[in-house]
Amino acid sequence: HSIVGGNTPFCLDGTCRDQTYETNDEMMSTLAQLTLLKEIQGNFKKGMIFKGKDERCSRYIFGFKDCCGSGRGWGTDAGLSKCKPKAKTLSKKRKAGLCHKIGTYCAKKVPGKCIKKKTTFCCFNSKLLKTLHEQGRLQIKLGWGKPKKPLCRGFTIEEIQRIDFSKLDLREVFEDLMKNF
């Protein structure tokens, strides 16, 4: 019998068998779970874990000063030069994909006009935590609050137990993990 094509089966003792295998993504899931366990260590405060941080940036409508920027592109760092260090740090976190946008509100009004707007974000220590919050909150129907009063709190143990980790799409996180290997 002859072999046709480029896929030669493995034949050590004359009995040939197909050596293909199914791809297994369990290693990445395991790495993600270990990273979450590491995050828990020492971070269980006031009954909450995986807490985010409320961070805000400002945009002045008439002064053309934008300390929020788009978070992307070559010109944003130059545009932040007159902004506070907190705004610059937030810009870096956004570029790294660590923040979830809650929304924008008017922070300062003059009669009939808003002259200063603020945009609120919940930022996390890692993309994994951000992804866990974005997808986990949907599963357990936990919202993000309002731009003026964001809900960047962590999860309770009861809430974590209700999240189905097998349904989390962690591809973006895995891509980052693979870059580090």
Side-chain angles (χ1 to χ4, degrees), residues 33 36 40 48-51 124 128-144 153-170:
Q33 290 170 2
L36 289 173
I40 291 174
M48 299 277 180
I49 48 176
F50 309 135
K51 188 178 186 301
F124 300 91
L128 178 60
L129 289 185
K130 184 189 97 168
T131 302
L132 172 63
H133 271 271
E134 287 178 337
Q135 296 178 33
R137 283 172 182 249
L138 283 174
Q139 286 185 27
I140 65 171
K141 297 179 179 30
L142 175 65
W144 291 93
R153 71 166 177 85
F155 292 111
T156 64
I157 294 296
E158 185 269 331
E159 288 168 340
I160 283 286
Q161 290 172 339
R162 288 176 28 219
I163 294 173
D164 183 347
F165 282 78
S166 70
K167 291 183 178 171
L168 298 179
D169 179 0
L170 300 173

Side-chain angles (χ1 to χ4, degrees), residues 114-128:
C114 180
I115 60 169
K116 178 182 175 184
K117 290 185 176 183
K118 282 197 175 192
T119 303
T120 307
F121 300 86
C122 284
C123 298
F124 300 91
N125 293 335
S126 69
K127 269 190 183 177
L128 178 60

Side-chain angles (χ1 to χ4, degrees), residues 49-143:
I49 48 176
F50 309 135
K51 188 178 186 301
K53 187 177 178 197
D54 171 358
E55 300 206 29
R56 302 175 194 204
C57 54
S58 301
R59 196 170 81 236
Y60 297 84
I61 308 304
F62 295 110
F64 301 106
K65 183 177 168 187
D66 185 354
C67 292
C68 288
S70 66
R72 295 181 209 97
W74 60 271
T76 56
D77 289 335
L80 291 171
S81 63
K82 294 177 182 168
C83 300
K84 293 179 181 175
K86 275 186 172 184
K88 293 176 186 177
T89 302
L90 173 56
S91 178
K92 285 178 186 167
K93 288 179 182 180
R94 288 175 60 205
K95 284 179 187 174
L98 302 176
C99 303
H100 176 86
K101 184 178 178 179
I102 307 299
T104 301
Y105 64 96
C106 183
K108 192 171 190 180
K109 286 182 181 180
V110 293
K113 298 269 185 205
C114 180
I115 60 169
K116 178 182 175 184
K117 290 185 176 183
K118 282 197 175 192
T119 303
T120 307
F121 300 86
C122 284
C123 298
F124 300 91
N125 293 335
S126 69
K127 269 190 183 177
L128 178 60
L129 289 185
K130 184 189 97 168
T131 302
L132 172 63
H133 271 271
E134 287 178 337
Q135 296 178 33
R137 283 172 182 249
L138 283 174
Q139 286 185 27
I140 65 171
K141 297 179 179 30
L142 175 65

Side-chain angles (χ1 to χ4, degrees), residues 1 10 18 35 41 63 85 122 131 144 152 159 168 174 179 181:
H1 117 85
F10 178 70
D18 184 6
T35 304
Q41 292 176 336
C122 284
T131 302
W144 291 93
C152 296
E159 288 168 340
L168 298 179
F174 294 161
K179 285 178 195 170
F181 279 102

